[in-house]
Amino acid sequence: MSRNLLVALAAFAVLTFSAAGIGSAFTARSVRTWYPTLRKPPGNPPASYFGPVWTVLYCLMTLAAWNVWRIGDGWSGATPAITIFLIQLALNAVWSAIFFGLRSPRLALAEIILLWAAILASTISFWRISPFSGALLVPYLAWITYATYLNAGIWHLNRAHSDSSPQFPPGPRGNG
């Protein structure tokens, strides 16, 4: 593999995992204090699942973007697809800021719908350049579909508190 390809792969990894880091910064405190107090919809996974799932998804996103860049002959052939990818990556980080930072499942639900649409657009644009790269984004799209269900369920189950304020009062809440 040429040095330029390795540099590009590293650059996509830094970009993708930077979004992960930004999201994590908003998530870290709330996931220990606020999130456990929320009522959750059926099928909410254990907290221990999220880290490994997101790690795999960010790796797949990195490989997909790098491969599209590589096959699309760098920026000359892949600019629109990579631009859509970067938009969805920004929306990914913003969702964490809204849901966990602002503690606003209602606003996060509107944002995750935009994120889902951006991921779909990214998947389609990647698929047109490289079906393999498009396929690498399908698990991400599936996970965000599931996350949209969870976000909607959390908002619905906790909306009596969330409609008046983005901060929920502490209290005992179960997972279902």
Side-chain angles (χ1 to χ4, degrees):
M1 190 176 310
S2 78
R3 178 167 155 60
N4 287 343
L5 288 177
L6 288 175
V7 169
L9 178 59
F12 280 111
V14 166
L15 275 171
T16 304
F17 282 92
S18 290
I22 291 166
S24 244
F26 287 103
T27 304
R29 182 168 179 258
S30 286
V31 81
R32 290 186 314 270
T33 58
W34 169 73
Y35 187 74
T37 69
L38 300 174
R39 290 183 197 105
K40 316 284 190 322
N44 190 71
S48 63
Y49 286 26
F50 288 97
V53 167
W54 275 111
T55 300
V56 169
L57 293 175
Y58 284 119
C59 287
L60 293 174
M61 285 187 263
T62 297
L63 290 173
W66 172 76
N67 193 51
V68 161
W69 179 87
R70 184 182 66 83
I71 289 174
D73 197 25
W75 296 113
S76 62
T79 298
I82 297 298
T83 300
I84 295 168
F85 176 80
L86 294 174
I87 290 168
Q88 71 75 26
L89 204 55
L91 288 168
N92 178 303
V94 168
W95 181 86
S96 294
I98 294 169
F99 188 91
F100 290 106
L102 296 177
R103 298 180 178 183
S104 179
R106 185 168 102 181
L107 184 56
L109 180 58
E111 199 277 353
I112 203 170
I113 292 167
L114 293 175
L115 172 59
W116 186 93
I119 296 166
L120 179 62
S122 188
T123 302
I124 291 167
S125 66
F126 276 25
W127 199 286
R128 288 178 179 154
I129 295 170
S130 163
F132 175 71
S133 292
L136 288 175
L137 293 184
V138 170
Y140 178 37
L141 185 62
W143 183 257
I144 294 302
T145 301
Y146 176 54
T148 302
Y149 156 75
L150 294 174
N151 189 154
I154 289 169
W155 172 70
H156 176 75
L157 292 170
N158 298 278
R159 72 180 180 268
H161 301 290
S162 68
D163 287 342
S164 60
S165 168
Q167 304 272 337
F168 296 118
R173 306 232 168 120
N175 278 337

